[in-house]
Amino acid sequence: MEKSQQVGIIGAGSFGTAIAQLISENANVLLFARNRSLVEKINASHKHHGIQLNKNIIATSDPEFLAKSCTLIFPVVPSVSFRAMMKSFSPYLHPYHILIHGTKGFDVREADMTKLEAGKITRHEVHTMSNVIEQESSVVRIGCLSGPNLSSEIMAGQPTATLIASRYDEVFELGKKVLKGQRFQVFGSRSMLGAEMAGALKNVYAIGSGILGGLGMGKNIQAMLITRGLVEMIYFAKAFNIDKSAFLGTAGIGDLIATATSEDSRNFTFGKRLGQGESLEEIMETMPELAEGVRTLKIFKHLSRQHKIRVPITQMLYKSVFEGFAVEKALKYLIAYPYDVDVDFL
């Protein structure tokens, strides 16, 4: 892709900004934010989230302008806002557009929210972000971005890797062309559903790992939670005939380790504060950006119950986060849980 061409980023949060900064090394970037005053501030100062942005990053609040200016677009907004965002962009999107989303979560339509709250949600009522793109637009060539991509480390220039999963080779090739650099490796996969599921589910166990940190626990029990959490993720994949290979690579175990061990992870931080005694409401009111794992935890727990998937860690996390169950009691329950074998999913 020529540097004179523009790549669109929808979402000026920390991850969207990090991706914009990466891509600006290879192409011009149009960064979309709904807030016009924020757009003006970014364009005037070329600073955002505490970093100096490259000069070829231009902000806009006009969805039509972005869609007309960019063929390749990266939507990077929270899952709770993703469908509304797609509806606002849909009139300006066409089959020639390519969308590679970077959102790690699930969508539930407004009409199905009562089922979710009642614990009666099924897999057919839970949608990945690629599902939402297909449902709300005419875009055909879709991909997802997943992997150990902590925004603060990317913006600090630290090396890492990511995965672009898509059914279309050209989506991977174009995505790789604008993202790959001296500090950023890009892997490819055809298992888009696996990558999306792994990217969403790992946030649940990052919360659990954070709780252990808040309790002052060490690396032994943290390693066990991450390991058994990966097993639960793969149980889920097997129950829905999802390719489990994605869970054993960059989008799965790679992202799980990063998110479940870093103080820069919103989900780990949420869990740590919970482990230190704060309530769900207190944490949600004071966190600057959404911890995706909170919403995913609710969806995952109810889906697992409906489909009889054995996920004791998820069950205990749900009770601790949403029902006020003491985290110390939850930990005692899991320590005593009768696991039969270590690895039974290969």
Side-chain angles (χ1 to χ4, degrees):
M1 180 169 286
E2 297 296 328
K3 188 100 175 199
S4 60
Q5 291 183 285
Q6 285 186 311
V7 176
I9 308 289
I10 303 174
S14 57
F15 189 44
T17 304
I19 295 301
Q21 189 77 336
L22 275 175
I23 291 176
S24 68
E25 299 289 340
N26 300 311
N28 294 323
V29 175
L30 202 54
L31 177 64
F32 176 86
R34 291 180 300 172
N35 188 317
R36 289 187 180 181
S37 62
L38 175 60
V39 166
E40 292 171 0
K41 183 179 177 181
I42 292 172
N43 288 335
S45 67
H46 269 85
K47 290 182 179 179
H48 191 39
H49 288 288
I51 65 165
Q52 186 71 48
L53 299 177
N54 289 336
K55 293 293 184 181
N56 60 328
I57 298 175
I58 305 297
T60 180
S61 59
D62 185 346
E64 183 176 10
F65 176 64
L66 184 139
K68 283 184 175 180
S69 304
C70 309
T71 299
L72 177 59
I73 301 172
F74 289 77
V76 189
V77 300
S79 61
V80 70
S81 309
F82 200 92
R83 189 176 292 276
M85 176 276 297
M86 282 304 305
K87 286 181 177 179
S88 68
F89 272 83
S90 182
Y92 316 114
L93 295 174
H94 303 282
Y96 63 75
H97 281 107
I98 295 174
L99 266 61
I100 303 174
H101 77 81
T103 300
K104 298 172 181 178
F106 297 124
D107 171 81
V108 176
R109 291 179 187 269
E110 194 65 35
D112 294 321
M113 286 302 294
T114 53
K115 289 184 179 181
L116 174 60
E117 296 303 324
K120 296 181 179 179
I121 198 83
T122 68
R123 173 68 183 90
H124 300 293
E125 290 138 2
V126 175
H127 313 282
T128 64
M129 299 307 107
S130 63
N131 294 152
V132 176
I133 293 170
E134 291 170 336
Q135 292 161 1
E136 300 295 345
S137 76
S138 61
V139 176
V140 177
R141 293 174 295 173
I142 301 167
C144 83
L145 191 67
S146 193
N149 298 152
L150 295 168
S151 306
S152 58
E153 294 185 8
I154 293 174
M155 288 192 281
Q158 295 185 26
T160 187
T162 195
L163 177 85
I164 295 177
S166 178
R167 294 188 294 270
Y168 299 91
D169 291 341
E170 62 184 306
V171 173
F172 167 69
E173 293 299 335
L174 272 176
K176 181 178 180 179
K177 195 169 186 178
V178 300
L179 280 168
K180 187 173 172 61
Q182 292 183 342
R183 302 182 305 274
F184 203 73
Q185 178 61 266
V186 182
F187 297 102
S189 171
R190 289 187 178 276
S191 180
M192 187 160 63
L193 180 57
E196 288 182 291
M197 288 291 181
L201 295 179
K202 54 86 186 176
N203 286 329
V204 170
Y205 304 101
I207 290 175
S209 182
I211 290 174
L212 295 178
L215 291 172
M217 298 290 175
K219 295 300 180 183
N220 284 340
I221 190 64
Q222 185 184 49
M224 284 308 304
L225 180 134
I226 291 171
T227 304
R228 297 312 304 179
L230 178 64
V231 172
E232 291 192 5
M233 290 165 63
I234 293 174
Y235 284 169
F236 185 86
K238 290 179 70 175
F240 293 102
N241 295 315
I242 299 168
D243 179 11
K244 62 179 181 287
S245 65
F247 293 76
L248 301 174
T250 305
I253 192 167
D255 203 3
L256 175 61
I257 291 170
T259 311
T261 59
S262 174
E263 298 278 352
D264 291 328
S265 159
R266 289 189 295 274
N267 294 285
F268 180 90
T269 299
F270 175 92
K272 186 174 182 178
R273 291 177 61 179
L274 194 73
Q276 291 172 337
E278 293 187 61
S279 68
L280 170 64
E281 293 72 23
E282 289 172 332
I283 303 170
M284 294 295 279
E285 284 175 5
T286 55
M287 286 195 77
E289 291 189 47
L290 175 74
E292 283 281 6
V294 177
R295 190 163 182 259
T296 301
L297 172 59
K298 180 179 286 188
I299 294 170
F300 185 29
K301 187 266 183 183
H302 293 322
L303 274 182
S304 299
R305 186 177 64 83
Q306 288 285 333
H307 296 275
K308 297 180 173 58
I309 306 170
R310 188 174 67 161
V311 286
I313 298 174
T314 300
Q315 291 168 355
M316 286 296 104
L317 285 173
Y318 181 90
K319 288 175 69 67
S320 296
V321 172
F322 294 106
E323 297 178 356
F325 191 73
V327 291
E328 295 88 352
K329 289 184 179 179
L331 182 57
K332 287 181 180 179
Y333 172 86
L334 291 172
I335 291 295
Y337 190 83
Y339 290 110
D340 299 320
V341 295
D342 187 13
V343 176
D344 60 357
F345 53 80
L346 295 178

